[in-house]
Amino acid sequence: MATIEECRAALEKLSDSMRDAEGDVRAAVALDRSVSCHLTDLDATFVGRLQDGRIQVHDTLQGPPRDKAQIRLAMTGDDLVALVDGELHFAKAWGAGRVKLHAGVRDLLVLRKLL
């Protein structure tokens, strides 16, 4: 099972990749939205902001997210690490129910370029 530290490192790696994105992907990461990522197996949530093409984690909370972020993800820590490392395909994981993504319709249309 992935640790909180491994999950935070995975989010930092994802953030670095997003910063270096180009084209349609760059437009998708240019959003300015509140984000949360609930790690169901660790019962912990990273909360922060997608801003300036990066994910900025502001806090790590015990339990599910307390506030409703504009973009919300839920998955296990292992799935987060596997997604970021390219070992798990987002669409397949989402279709199988391993990853949950909640966002407004406009945001989903933009985010699909990332997925």
Side-chain angles (χ1 to χ4, degrees):
M1 177 164 46
T3 66
I4 289 287
E5 293 79 18
E6 290 169 326
C7 293
R8 182 177 286 275
L11 284 176
E12 288 177 20
K13 181 178 176 181
L14 175 61
S15 184
D16 290 344
S17 296
M18 291 169 52
R19 178 193 61 213
D20 299 334
E22 296 178 0
D24 287 343
V25 174
R26 182 69 183 160
V29 300
L31 293 171
D32 182 1
R33 301 286 187 271
S34 59
V35 296
S36 67
C37 181
H38 182 231
L39 304 171
T40 55
D41 57 335
L42 300 173
D43 197 26
T45 302
F46 292 111
V47 293
R49 190 141 201 102
L50 173 59
Q51 187 175 35
D52 298 326
R54 294 188 58 86
I55 299 170
Q56 301 166 2
V57 176
H58 298 299
D59 204 357
T60 305
L61 310 171
Q62 279 301 105
R66 295 181 186 126
D67 298 318
K68 187 175 175 182
Q70 292 166 304
I71 300 171
R72 299 176 306 281
L73 289 161
M75 68 193 81
T76 66
D78 288 340
D79 284 345
L80 172 62
V81 171
L83 282 168
V84 173
D85 287 344
E87 298 168 5
L88 180 63
H89 190 269
F90 183 88
K92 289 180 182 179
W94 177 73
R98 291 173 65 178
V99 174
K100 293 180 177 35
L101 169 65
H102 301 278
V105 174
R106 286 185 185 164
D107 289 342
L108 287 173
L109 290 173
V110 173
L111 290 171
R112 71 187 165 120
K113 295 172 187 170
L114 291 173
L115 315 175

